[in-house]
Every structure is written in structure tokens, then in C-alpha cells.
Amino acid sequence: MFIYYVFSSFGQMRTCKVTSTKERRFTDVTYKVIIKGMTSCEERDILNGITGAVNPGEVLALMGPSGSGKTTLLNLLGGRLIQSTVSGSITYNDQPYSKFLKSRIGFVTQDDVLFPHLTVKETLTYAARLRLPKVLTRQQKEKRAVDVIYELGLERCQDTMIGGSFVRGVSGGERKRVCIGNEIIINPSLLFLDEPTSGLDSTTALRTIQTLQDIAEVGKTVITTIHQPSSRLFHKFDKLILLGKGSLLYFGKASEAIFYFSSIGCSPLIAMNPAEFLLDLANGNLTDISVPSELEDKVQMENSETETGNGKPPPAVVHEYLVEAYESRVADTEKKKLLAPLPLDEELKSKVSSSKRQWGASWWQQYCILFCRGIKERKHDYFSWLRITQVLSTAIILGLLWWQSDSKTIRGRQDQAGLLFFIAVFWGFFPVFTAIFTFPQERAMLGKERAADMYRLSAYFLARTTSDLPLDLILPVLFLLVVYFMAGLRLSASHFFLSMLTVFLCIVAAQGLGLAIGATLMDLKRATTLASVTVMTFMLAGGYFVKKVPVFISWIRYMSFNYHTYKLLLKVQYQDIMPTVNGIKTDSGLKEVGALVAMIFGYRFLAYLSLRKMQLHC
């Protein structure tokens, strides 16, 4: 497979004299997968010797029934599948796929993977700051984002949130244009799209395809999969690949597809949408389609032998006929056209073949951009009325139950110990189940952005975990301001701030556990189950319910952030009053602080390693 396209160092298209025979091409692409069963492994062909070509300025449509391999072919062309499992020639400018090209190709996935709480302008601005070359200033990158907004006709909704399942935002067509804008922001010469009209009404779908045509007209190459376009959409495509069961049934100009199939005896008997006619053929359905004479003879012979039949050949026979017809009449001619290499200047050739990644920002810039984006995206969830009401109502209830409790008597201190233990449990439980959702929910976004080399995984991880810290501190402060003074705990600035610091250490440690569980399992049901068992175990071993834990299981206590937080809160309140409270010694507290700090970094390191091991197109 050969696909040629040219970049300048700023991502702009450079003109290059190319004759009409020098095409963007792919040759004899075959892709197989191994399916593991209970007792054996089965090798299944997904693509069988696909050959084709596309020029700059053209829109190539990949069509076929569900399961025909069109999305697999698109992913192969875009470098999104492991190349070692592919046979055939897959090169760009006569060079193999490289990390340099990875950040220069636009790839729009079928699902609209966007942050719901960012506006259209914020979404495109962050993409520009992360993806455009380092040599451009921040102002130039932001101007490019604004240019894309006007280029795609998004100026009316540029300050509107993207929206999602529970957040009202832009329309479906506008969301799709934002996804396209995220990719064309780098001015790629090659743009891939997977089902860009999926879920859109006919008018919006037509507008989306018109946008792709406009992009192609300025010298870009556009390759898109499409399932069942209307006749108006079909006529917007320059070239067409029709796939059936992983085999090539047609490649050529979209406008000539009907004439080709008519030449092999398959013509529509009634007026119908060309795309509908082609998909019926790819499915082996010849209803309202003329039957070729070769197939008629075969069907008559089979019917005379079996004395059954409806006069139409079965789909498998139709598929075999179409594949053989293409291979015998067209395939060899097309392959000969694609043999000549395209001459390129050596400077461009060395750039394209470079294996070095081209980051759009330094590590520190990536961290700062992702940190700011993280705060903007998540502040809406953190400060929702539901969460604020949950925290404040819990604080008020606790304050009323322990209203001005007495710390001078043993009974009073025992009651206060119950309050301190509940604080340790509440701020251990709450962050774990919030953090569990972090990486499973952002997996699609992380995979998409890492596939485009927008940033390093380390910059993302550190920004993602640290941008939560300022947000995590605000609600606990409000909680303690209510509980601390209503319950009559030690009234001094040092005791209050030490209690606050202890709670904050507990929150960050518990959050680390949630991140580690979520990143390791990447499945919300399994992660929630594991977290429930773990948090319950830590709570029971936290030092309040069981004073004397058996030796063989006592190690659980030292892994419990509830236990260490509870001991520290007792130390802050009562160390200068008595050395032992409720059966727990209030020592120096250094061991507890050290244990919490170790959990903060240890759990996060485990989460980072889990993300590293995942297949995120790193």
C-alpha cells in the first residue's frame, strides 16, 4: 500500500509536481487475526489482498456490509493496527509508517470522544496548543483554533459546552464537526474518518460530507468509511472501495461503479439508490437485480439436481462470482498502474521516514495545558449541588449528633473517638469511589489522544492526578468547618489545621487506591466490587471496632489508611491529655504520616504502571 502526502515543518501542505499517474496507493493488503477458542486457535481472514489508490484532492469512500472489513482497512491505512500482522505493502511516500507520521495524520473515530464540560472553543484551543508545532507561539496556536471554528461554521456555538448524557450541549452535527476540527487543526494532508455520518439526519450528514469535500478540494486526501449513504451523499465521493467478506469487489471512480457491475451482468431492475444497489450486491442479495448468465446456468443446474430453489443464486455463490469477476477483469490492470514509485526530494523523504516523535509542546507545557484542562473539565462535577449538599448535610448531621461533646471525661472522649473514626472512614470511602471512575471513563479519550501523539503518558498522568488536589481540598475544609466547631473539638488553630492536614493525607491516599484499582481493572463493575471489599476491610481493621487483631491478619491494619488517619486524629486531639485513647496509643505520629505518604506515591505508581501496560497506542 502506498499513500503519498507532503508536509512542511509547520504542518502546511507543500505543492509538488505530480503527474496523473502518480497516485496514493495500497497494494495486496491482507490482514488475519487469531481467535482463541476453548481447545484450539482459529485463524480468520479479515482482509484479502486489497489494492487501491487515492490522490490529494479526492475523497475515497470505503463501503460494505457490517463485518466486511472496512473499519479494519481504515485502521490499517491510518496506522492504528499492529503492522506485524499485515502482509502486503503499507508505505507512505515509499517509506514505512513512522512515529513522525503518527502526529501528522488526522483520524476521526466513529464515537464522538469529547469532554462534555468544555466549550467548543476550549476543546479546539487545547488541541491546538498540544498538537501544533513548538515553533508556533501560544497566540498563533489559538488563532489557528479560531480559524478552524470559522472554517467549520461553528462560530455560533463556540462558547457552548459540548455536552453529553447528562449535560445539555451542542447538536450531533456540531459535535461531529468539532471532532473533525480536532484533527484538521494540524492541517493534515491525510484525513481518516470512521462512519462520520453515523447517527445524523440526512441534512446534517450531507453537510458533514460537504465539509469533507471542501477539505479535499484544498489538496488534502480524505478516506472515510460509510455504511449506507443516501444517493446525494454517494455522488459526493470521488473514489469508492466496495468490500464483501474482506475481499475487494470494486475499486475505482464512484460514478463508474454502476457501469462496472452492469458490464458483468448485475444491473438494477428498478430505480434505486446506487449505494443500496452496491450493498445488496456485497451481501449477495440479487433481489430486483439482474442475474448474470453464468450464475443463471449454475442455478438451473443446481435446481435440476435438487428440485428446489427460488431461481436466485445463494449469497456465497454471488460473492464468489463478484470476487472472481473483479480479479479477472480489473485487478491486474490496477496493480500495473501502481508499480511506478513517486520521486521525492531527499529532505522530505528523510523527514517522513524518521522514527522520532514530533511533540507539539515540551513536557512541562503538556503538563500545564493538561492541568488547566483537567480543572476546567472537572470543576463542574466537583462543585455540583448534589455533591455539596451531600457533604454539608453529612457534616450538619454529625455536628448535631456530637453537639458540643465533652472531651474532659473518659466517656466524652470515647464518644469523640467515634466521631473521629467516622471522619477517617468518610474521607477514605468518598475519594476511593470517586477516583475509581477516572481512568475507565477517560480510556477512550486517552487512547484517542495518545494515538495522535498529543502528549506523553507521564505528563497526562501527573496532570490528571495533581489537578484534582486543589478541588479535593475545598469540600473537606467546608466539612471540617461545620463539624469541628459544632462538635466542640479542640479550639485552637494548630489543632484545626493539623486535623485538616490529616484528613487531606487520608483523601490523597484513598484517591491513590481508587486510581490504582480503576487503572488496573479498567472495568467499573469489577473495580467497584474490589473497592467495596477493600474499603470495608480497611474500615473494620481501622482500630475502632476491633482493638486486638489476631497476629496472622494484623498486617491488614497497617495497610489501612483508615487506621493511620484515626490514630493521627486521636493524637492531634488528645496527645497532651493522655497517652492512650479508646485503647489506641497516641505516639509521635511519624509512622502514620510515613505510611500515608508511602500509600500516596505507591498506589499512584501502581496506577501509572497499569496504564503503561495497556494497549493505548503508545
Side-chain angles (χ1 to χ4, degrees), residues 129-146:
R129 291 177 62 189
L130 286 167
R131 299 189 69 179
L132 289 175
K134 294 180 184 179
V135 293
L136 300 180
T137 65
R138 176 172 174 171
Q139 290 74 22
Q140 289 173 319
K141 291 183 178 183
E142 291 176 353
K143 183 180 183 301
R144 172 62 182 158
V146 173

Side-chain angles (χ1 to χ4, degrees), residues 286-297:
L286 294 185
T287 304
D288 297 324
I289 298 174
S290 62
V291 179
S293 56
E294 295 93 329
L295 289 183
E296 280 186 342
D297 296 340

Side-chain angles (χ1 to χ4, degrees), residues 336-597:
K336 289 177 182 178
K337 291 180 182 178
L338 304 178
L339 291 177
L342 177 67
L344 295 170
D345 65 81
E346 290 302 317
E347 178 187 357
L348 180 61
K349 185 176 179 180
S350 64
K351 279 188 178 184
V352 172
S353 61
S354 171
S355 61
K356 188 177 180 181
R357 287 176 172 168
Q358 302 292 317
W359 301 107
S362 66
W363 188 95
W364 176 249
Q365 289 172 332
Q366 290 173 7
Y367 169 79
C368 292
I369 294 168
L370 294 171
F371 182 90
C372 295
R373 188 180 75 172
I375 289 181
K376 278 193 175 183
E377 167 58 24
R378 289 185 294 281
K379 67 182 180 182
H380 300 277
D381 287 333
Y382 269 87
F383 302 123
S384 66
W385 282 109
L386 184 63
R387 181 171 292 200
I388 293 172
T389 302
Q390 179 185 17
V391 170
L392 289 182
S393 60
T394 303
I396 292 170
I397 291 171
L398 291 176
L400 292 174
L401 290 174
W402 273 270
W403 177 260
Q404 296 300 310
S405 56
D406 184 14
S407 63
K408 296 179 181 178
T409 64
I410 295 177
R411 183 62 181 271
R413 284 192 289 272
Q414 288 177 341
D415 285 346
Q416 283 191 352
L419 171 63
L420 297 177
F421 182 74
F422 182 86
I423 293 173
V425 170
F426 182 77
W427 289 110
F429 176 91
F430 199 63
V432 167
F433 286 92
T434 302
I436 274 178
F437 293 87
T438 299
F439 296 122
Q441 285 184 338
E442 291 191 7
R443 180 176 186 174
M445 178 65 75
L446 180 59
K448 185 190 84 166
E449 294 183 337
R450 288 283 292 149
D453 270 353
M454 286 180 67
Y455 45 71
R456 297 170 177 87
L457 182 61
S458 57
Y460 163 81
F461 182 82
L462 195 61
R464 184 63 183 85
T465 54
T466 56
S467 62
D468 288 336
L469 298 182
L471 302 173
D472 282 331
L473 187 59
I474 295 173
L475 286 181
V477 169
L478 294 176
F479 177 89
L480 276 185
L481 282 173
V482 174
V483 171
Y484 200 90
F485 298 105
M486 288 182 70
L489 298 176
R490 298 288 295 275
L491 295 176
S492 73
S494 61
H495 289 88
F496 175 80
F497 285 111
L498 284 174
S499 298
M500 183 70 253
L501 179 61
T502 301
V503 170
F504 189 58
L505 285 174
C506 176
I507 290 170
V508 181
Q511 188 185 64
L513 175 64
L515 292 172
I517 292 174
T520 303
L521 299 180
M522 279 295 179
D523 180 89
L524 290 179
K525 288 185 178 179
R526 291 191 296 161
T528 303
T529 301
L530 178 59
S532 300
V533 174
T534 304
V535 169
M536 181 186 67
T537 304
F538 285 176
M539 179 187 70
L540 294 175
Y544 185 78
F545 296 110
V546 183
K547 303 296 186 294
K548 187 177 180 181
V549 178
V551 176
F552 63 87
I553 202 173
S554 60
W555 54 271
I556 293 179
R557 170 170 284 183
Y558 300 102
M559 295 179 63
S560 169
F561 42 76
N562 299 133
Y563 175 71
H564 299 298
T565 304
Y566 179 44
K567 284 190 69 175
L568 284 173
L569 288 174
L570 290 176
K571 167 187 164 50
V572 170
Q573 294 295 319
Y574 309 119
Q575 186 182 32
D576 54 351
I577 298 177
M578 57 190 305
T580 303
V581 180
N582 208 24
I584 294 181
K585 293 181 180 180
T586 56
D587 51 18
S588 65
L590 292 178
K591 292 181 180 178
E592 287 74 24
V593 171
L596 289 174
V597 171

Side-chain angles (χ1 to χ4, degrees), residues 87-146:
S87 62
S89 180
I90 304 178
T91 58
Y92 303 75
N93 287 337
D94 278 341
Q95 301 298 316
Y97 183 81
S98 68
K99 292 178 180 178
F100 173 84
L101 293 175
K102 188 178 181 181
S103 58
R104 298 298 192 271
I105 293 175
F107 198 107
V108 181
T109 58
Q110 182 175 354
D111 297 324
D112 299 334
V113 183
L114 300 166
F115 285 115
H117 292 107
L118 296 181
T119 66
V120 170
K121 188 174 183 179
E122 288 170 344
T123 299
L124 294 175
T125 298
Y126 284 125
R129 291 177 62 189
L130 286 167
R131 299 189 69 179
L132 289 175
K134 294 180 184 179
V135 293
L136 300 180
T137 65
R138 176 172 174 171
Q139 290 74 22
Q140 289 173 319
K141 291 183 178 183
E142 291 176 353
K143 183 180 183 301
R144 172 62 182 158
V146 173

Side-chain angles (χ1 to χ4, degrees), residues 31 33 46-47 71-86 97 617:
Y31 181 70
V33 295
I46 305 299
L47 295 172
T71 297
T72 302
L73 178 58
L74 187 80
N75 286 329
L76 283 174
L77 298 179
R80 298 297 176 106
L81 288 179
I82 301 172
Q83 301 293 312
S84 59
T85 59
V86 183
Y97 183 81
H617 303 284

